[in-house]
Amino acid sequence: MNTSNLAPRASLTTRENPWPLALLSANIKKYVDRMSALWVEGQVVEYKRRPGTRMAFFTIRDLNQNVSMTVKAFAGVVDKAGPGFDEGARVVVNAKPDYYEVNGSLSLFAHEIHTSGLGDLLARIEMLRKALAAEGLFSTERKKPLPFLPQVVGLICGRNAKAKHDVVVNAQARWPSTRFEIREVAVQGERCVGEVSAALAELDSNPAVQVIVIARGGGSVEDLLPFSEESLVRAAAAARTPIVSAIGHETDAPLLDLVSDYRASTPTDAARKVVPDVAEQEVLVADIRARLSYLLGQRLDAELTGLANLRARPVMARPSAMFDVEAERLAGARERLRLRTRSLVELAEGQIQSAAQALRALSPQSILERGFTVLRTPSGQVITSAKQVSKGDLIEGLLAKGRMVAQVVGATPGKEGNENE
């Protein structure tokens, strides 16, 4: 760029001899670069954490004037600011002005960041959050299920607040018979913690109240600080009644939201959560009835088809057919039993006949029938040797038929060792 004919100072430029914009930007940068680092105070109004990035960017605003400026810093510098550094935090920053020639933007390059005021409070709240989390007060296992259709809803809200209107109107629009026990209290400032805690204890002790809604509907970080007080958070954790928190907006995170059984993004969202929609339930019931009717119809058709198939079977046309096979089997078994019995009887008869023949052959009567006689003395002793009688003795003879008496006229003993001859 030929600068020999250009005005040496800005005050010497004319319409005929203006500065190029790049020259103005370069001179501004030279001037800004000569500025020294300084301490500046403000409130963080815009900051999004981006883990893993080298640089961090946020915007601070003057505490009293509507003046803001972008600040950039290395991620490590922001981390050193502590857990209280976030949107809404009051900070003191040591930074050097930095001018970017390409788009003419002025920003601050921060070397140190310290939270103060609200930032310190937020840091203490973060420490309390970690301590309560370590105790398990925020765990999912502790959260109580909300009732499907509470008869009475407890509502803690500000006096004549829009949050009250949003909860009541929307809840009764969904389920007209819903009743409320409302406690209007201070929802910010010094009296907030005490009044909210007292109202919570009163509603929790009422057996008719089945769910409690604590509603505010957003506000500044300072306004929501009471809902992170330890005493209030512990009171909510100890309550036996399920609690719905509708304190802040989506980006707000008071500790009461973490300990509540359900966090609603708005009071209207809380109303939708605590009571069902009667129109939706009617549609659901109609759908269930239609599905039940369809399923019953299918089941009935299946049973009728099964019954028709059963009736079409031959055994149903002639029920006695199922006994035919068994009758044939029984007849066969009976015949086999008869034949077996007859066989056993015939075998036994043959054995008896054989035994009778053997018995007859060995019977004394049979011997007598062959012409033999049994001789006995008058005393009944059977005579087997001639030595048992003498001449003139009377003896009795047993014949096959009848008996006789004879007198011995002589007896000849047999030879020694052969008396039976």
Side-chain angles (χ1 to χ4, degrees):
M1 179 176 60
N2 185 7
T3 60
S4 58
N5 297 325
L6 296 178
R9 296 191 304 275
S11 60
L12 299 178
T13 59
T14 63
R15 184 174 65 179
E16 291 76 16
N17 188 22
W19 274 2
L21 183 60
L23 178 59
L24 173 61
S25 182
N27 286 334
I28 293 175
K29 180 169 178 55
K30 290 178 182 179
Y31 178 80
V32 172
D33 286 345
R34 289 197 298 268
M35 297 179 65
S36 60
L38 73 159
W39 289 93
V40 62
E41 181 184 30
Q43 183 180 30
V44 180
V45 294
E46 185 177 341
Y47 172 57
K48 300 297 181 185
R49 295 182 183 273
R50 294 181 174 85
T53 58
R54 182 169 176 266
M55 297 294 295
F57 297 86
F58 59 95
T59 302
I60 60 173
R61 179 179 296 164
D62 187 275
L63 299 175
N64 300 310
Q65 302 293 329
N66 190 22
V67 177
S68 60
M69 185 174 292
T70 299
V71 182
K72 57 185 177 181
F74 289 112
V77 174
V78 174
D79 292 339
K80 290 181 181 179
F85 181 84
D86 209 333
E87 292 182 357
R90 180 177 175 180
V91 295
V92 177
V93 180
N94 180 263
K96 188 178 185 306
D98 181 68
Y99 181 77
Y100 187 50
E101 295 178 73
V102 175
N103 60 8
S105 62
L106 181 65
S107 62
L108 295 176
F109 193 99
H111 305 293
E112 290 184 50
I113 303 173
H114 299 275
T115 58
S116 62
L118 180 60
D120 292 338
L121 290 175
L122 294 176
R124 289 198 295 271
I125 290 174
E126 177 62 18
M127 293 177 62
L128 176 61
R129 183 193 69 79
K130 292 180 179 179
L132 297 179
E135 293 182 29
L137 264 62
F138 304 149
S139 64
T140 304
E141 292 75 14
R142 293 188 72 259
K143 297 189 181 300
K144 298 175 284 294
L146 302 185
F148 170 70
L149 182 59
Q151 299 300 309
V152 179
V153 177
L155 174 60
I156 301 174
C157 59
R159 296 178 176 86
N160 299 319
K162 185 177 183 299
K164 170 186 173 182
H165 175 272
D166 290 344
V167 173
V168 174
V169 171
N170 284 281
Q172 291 183 338
R174 292 170 63 82
W175 201 272
S177 62
T178 303
R179 295 188 293 115
F180 283 89
E181 281 288 335
I182 301 175
R183 299 295 180 269
E184 295 184 350
V185 298
V187 290
Q188 67 182 60
E190 296 179 356
R191 295 184 296 122
C192 176
V193 174
E195 292 188 9
V196 172
S197 299
L200 176 59
E202 181 185 353
L203 293 176
D204 186 46
S205 64
N206 187 344
V209 176
Q210 296 174 281
V211 64
I212 299 173
V213 178
I214 304 177
R216 175 188 161 87
S220 66
V221 176
E222 295 91 334
D223 292 340
L224 300 183
L225 286 177
F227 296 98
S228 293
E229 283 289 334
E230 182 175 1
S231 62
L232 177 56
V233 174
R234 290 191 179 277
R240 63 168 183 82
T241 309
I243 295 176
V244 175
S245 173
I247 302 302
H249 294 302
E250 196 68 36
T251 57
D252 300 322
L255 298 186
L256 183 63
D257 283 350
L258 302 180
V259 78
S260 298
D261 300 294
Y262 178 79
R263 179 192 183 277
S265 57
T266 62
T268 301
D269 180 43
R272 295 194 187 102
K273 187 63 180 179
V274 295
V275 295
D277 188 338
V278 64
E280 292 178 359
Q281 296 304 312
E282 288 175 347
V283 172
L284 180 61
V285 170
D287 180 60
I288 293 175
R289 292 179 63 183
R291 289 173 58 193
L292 181 60
S293 176
Y294 172 75
L295 293 174
L296 287 175
Q298 278 194 324
R299 181 62 182 269
L300 183 59
D301 290 343
E303 295 299 330
L304 289 174
T305 300
L307 182 60
N309 293 336
L310 185 62
R311 294 178 62 185
R313 292 181 181 181
V315 69
M316 297 303 294
R318 191 171 65 86
S320 61
M322 63 184 297
F323 300 107
D324 291 347
V325 174
E326 297 301 325
E328 292 178 1
R329 186 179 302 171
L330 181 60
R334 181 184 296 171
E335 179 64 20
R336 288 193 299 273
L337 179 60
R338 186 185 66 79
L339 294 175
R340 178 63 176 167
T341 303
R342 181 176 178 180
S343 175
L344 292 175
V345 170
E346 290 177 350
L347 177 62
E349 287 178 347
Q351 292 174 342
I352 290 172
Q353 290 176 0
S354 298
Q357 291 175 358
L359 182 60
R360 282 195 297 269
L362 297 175
S363 172
Q365 181 68 27
S366 177
I367 296 174
L368 295 176
E369 288 178 353
R370 290 200 300 270
F372 291 95
T373 302
V374 178
L375 299 178
R376 295 189 302 183
T377 64
S379 63
Q381 183 181 9
V382 177
I383 300 171
T384 60
S385 172
K387 292 180 178 182
Q388 294 178 256
V389 296
S390 300
K391 181 178 178 181
D393 290 343
L394 293 176
I395 58 175
E396 181 184 24
L398 297 178
L399 305 175
K401 294 180 180 180
R403 290 182 291 181
M404 69 175 187
V405 176
Q407 187 175 26
V408 178
V409 294
T412 304
K415 295 181 179 179
E416 187 69 27
N418 190 22
E419 295 182 354
N420 296 325
E421 293 182 0

